[in-house]
Structure formats: C-alpha cells, structure tokens
Amino acid sequence: MQTAPRPRFEVLSRTAMDALSQEELEDYNEARMVWNANLPTVRTQQLEATYRVIDQVMASGRRDASSLRGMVVVDAHPGLGKTTAAPRYGRDFQRRELRRYGLETDEGHQRLPVAFVPLSAGMTLKSLNKKLLEFYGHPAASKSTRAELGSLAVDCVLSCETRLIIVDDLHFVNFRHRDGTEVSNHLKWLANEMPVTFVYVGVGLLERSFFDEGMDGTDAALAQTGRRATRCPVVPFTIKSTNGFRAWAELLEAFEKHLMLARAHPGMLSEHAKLLHRRTQGRIGSLTGLLDRACYVAITSGTERLTEQILTDVPIDNAADAGERTA
C-alpha cells in the first residue's frame, strides 16, 4: 500500500522513434505497454460513494475497545472496480495514520494500520487465520493449531495497532456449507475481539446469504451480520442522464491523458464515449481491458492513436461482448 507511483517517461515522436535502433524501439514499446496497461485510479462517482460509506462506518472505530464496530460490505458484480476501491481507501487511510502516529507503536512494534487479506477457494476457519497471520509475517502461521491461530491473529492486530482489515474475495466462502458457517462465526468472533473495522469485498454476497449467515426463513432474522454490516453496492456507469454521461466522459478524459501514444490527442477517447459505453456497458474492468488491447494494436500497427476502427475491432471479454450483442 506504500508503493510509489510509477515514474512517467518521455513520449517520443514518430521521428524520434524512427531514429532508434530495433532493440531500442522494442524496449521503448515494451515500457509503453507496461505503462498503458496500468491505468490510474480515478476518483469516480462510484469510488467517492464507497469512500463516503466506509468513512461513516469508520466513525464507529473511535468507540472504546470494548464496543462493537460496524462492518462494510462492498458487494457488486465483476468488473465494477470494487477490488480497486477498498485497497485504495486502505492505502489512503494507512498513509494518514502513519503520518499522524509514526511508523512504530509506543511499545516498539511496527505500526500496520491496515491489513489486507485476499481469500481463495475452499476457505476454512484455519486457512482464514493463516492468511491473516501471513500478512503480518508471523512465523507460526503454518505451525500452530487452529485454536492457537485465532489468538495469534488477535495479538498481531493489537500489537501492530491495526484499525482496518480488508478481506477480499469473500465470495469464495460458501456460507451454506459447514465450513462457511464456521468462517462466518469466526469473523464475528474476530470482530468482537479486535478493535478494528472490517471491510469485506465480494461478488453477489447478498445473493450468497452472507448477511443471513447461510440461514433460511425465520432463522435469517436471527443473523447478527445483517445488523452489524452495511452493504455498499457498486454500480456501472450509465450515460442515460446528463450527469452520468459527464462522469463517463470525465473518466475517459482521465485515461486518455495517461496513455503513451505518439499521436494521442485530447478527445481521443471521450469523442467515442457512446461507442466505448456500448462495448463495455459502463463496466470499468471491461473498459481497462479494452484499452490495454487497443493500445497494443495502436503501437504494433504504427497507428499511434486510438481510432474508432481500433476501438470497434479490438476483442473484449466475453461478458462485455455478450452485453454488446444483446444491447
């Protein structure tokens, strides 16, 4: 979360590129492809909305350690930027905390205001604790018993004065299975034991019964998670309203300023706003994938700009392609 921004370098003209040797040109183009493939995080309306929800829930983090804190659940379909929003918030929060309180705690431990825990398929209670301990680099992560792992995780959080834990890919947990029920109960236990705010990120968590803890019918009303957690949905861009179209165009303008192409110009993307929305249905993940490939074509073909033809012909992900064909 403390990685410095990638340093920008000069965009050469076609004349300057012609003066390069074959190997120099290959290296320059490779560097540009790496740059173009890593688009900046833009403070979109969706990102701003997610920040507002987390900020408000984080207000409960000022409660005494004995009081329960709220949880945030960033829940959305794939390709809408949810996995970008949560870590970005965590990075900003961590920088503020380190500036305010320093790199070490009063006891001399490394201060880690934010923990990031990506889950994987088939998560169990034990593997969840191991993931958390691995983040802190605890040597007992692979050696301790299941009961010990939970206590060690709590100790790491307290020692490093962690205040925010981001759990990504929570949809890998099947809350209707016994292992998923154990994970759900353990997450509640961790929330009780740790003076932190949890932010969960996943796909279709409402439909997967995360808030109901896998319960059905009247039993679902007994689920504690539904009362503790605040759902933060992330929606795709729409161009049906004036404000929506403006937000989409501003996103494209931010991206076009980033791209390194010899013949790039203002409006290179925004003038094709409707085309790009039709092809991606306003999903930022599909848009960035399309731009990666379009830039590759522009560089390797010598076009050096993104034209309507390139943006129309470049292949896109299956979901975006299906959405375009049925629009």
Side-chain angles (χ1 to χ4, degrees):
M1 291 186 179
Q2 296 299 308
T3 304
R6 182 177 279 103
R8 191 179 180 94
F9 52 94
E10 181 183 3
V11 181
L12 300 181
S13 65
R14 292 295 299 271
T15 301
M17 284 191 283
D18 289 340
L20 298 176
S21 68
Q22 184 62 35
E23 290 184 349
E24 288 173 333
L25 181 60
E26 289 177 0
D27 291 345
Y28 172 66
N29 286 342
E30 175 64 21
R32 283 198 294 163
M33 289 178 187
V34 171
W35 176 271
N36 291 337
N38 291 277
L39 293 168
T41 300
V42 180
R43 291 293 291 256
T44 62
Q45 292 179 349
Q46 291 87 337
L47 188 66
E48 294 283 3
T50 301
Y51 269 43
R52 284 196 298 272
V53 173
I54 300 178
D55 276 339
Q56 292 171 38
V57 176
M58 283 289 290
S60 65
R62 296 175 174 84
R63 294 174 179 172
D64 293 337
S66 59
S67 301
L68 288 177
R69 286 152 173 75
M71 313 170 189
V72 180
V73 181
V74 184
D75 184 18
H77 288 204
L80 294 176
K82 62 187 178 301
T83 302
T84 299
R88 172 67 181 265
Y89 183 94
R91 186 194 69 178
D92 293 346
F93 178 79
Q94 175 147 308
R95 287 178 174 175
R96 290 197 304 271
E97 289 287 294
L98 294 179
R99 176 190 60 79
R100 185 172 294 143
Y101 301 112
L103 300 177
E104 292 187 351
T105 68
D106 292 341
E107 288 73 29
H109 301 294
Q110 181 183 5
R111 188 186 305 280
L112 294 172
V114 181
F116 183 76
V117 185
L119 304 189
S120 55
M123 289 300 299
T124 64
L125 187 156
K126 183 174 182 178
S127 56
L128 171 63
N129 283 327
K130 287 180 64 176
K131 286 275 188 180
L132 188 53
L133 286 177
E134 286 169 358
F135 171 84
Y136 289 97
H138 200 292
S142 59
K143 302 175 183 178
S144 301
T145 65
R146 190 171 75 169
E148 292 171 333
L149 287 171
S151 297
L152 290 173
V154 173
D155 182 63
C156 285
V157 167
L158 295 175
S159 297
C160 296
E161 297 188 3
T162 300
R163 292 190 55 203
L164 175 67
I165 297 179
I166 299 171
V167 181
D168 196 13
D169 292 327
L170 191 62
H171 51 266
F172 281 130
V173 179
N174 181 357
F175 296 102
R176 295 188 182 277
H177 188 273
R178 183 185 65 185
D179 287 340
T181 301
E182 287 186 348
V183 169
S184 177
N185 289 333
H186 188 63
L187 288 173
K188 286 186 293 183
W189 179 80
L190 291 176
N192 291 340
E193 296 295 318
M194 298 174 174
V196 304
T197 299
F198 279 86
V199 173
Y200 301 116
V201 183
V203 175
L205 297 178
L206 180 64
E207 294 81 0
R208 295 173 190 272
S209 297
F210 168 70
F211 297 94
D212 298 332
E213 300 169 12
M215 300 179 190
D216 293 314
T218 56
D219 289 340
L222 303 176
Q224 294 176 318
T225 301
R227 290 292 178 181
R228 294 184 181 180
T230 300
R231 184 170 180 262
C232 179
V234 182
V235 299
F237 284 88
T238 178
I239 58 173
K240 292 182 179 180
S241 66
T242 300
N243 287 339
F245 189 91
R246 183 183 300 116
W248 179 246
E250 288 174 353
L251 174 68
L252 298 179
E253 289 169 1
F255 282 166
E256 69 187 23
K257 292 175 184 177
H258 175 86
L259 301 178
M260 287 191 172
L261 297 171
R263 297 176 63 195
H265 61 275
M268 182 176 65
L269 293 180
S270 55
E271 67 188 16
H272 301 298
K274 292 183 178 179
L275 165 65
L276 289 168
H277 191 275
R278 187 185 74 242
R279 297 216 68 198
T280 65
Q281 300 86 59
R283 265 70 173 178
I284 197 166
S286 297
L287 174 65
T288 55
L290 185 155
L291 294 180
D292 289 350
R293 300 168 189 184
C295 286
Y296 171 83
V297 173
I299 291 173
T300 56
S301 68
T303 307
E304 288 295 337
R305 64 189 178 96
L306 301 184
T307 64
E308 180 178 357
Q309 192 68 50
I310 290 176
L311 295 174
T312 300
D313 292 346
V314 70
I316 52 178
D317 63 82
N318 185 68
D321 183 54
E324 181 183 20
R325 285 188 279 107
T326 57

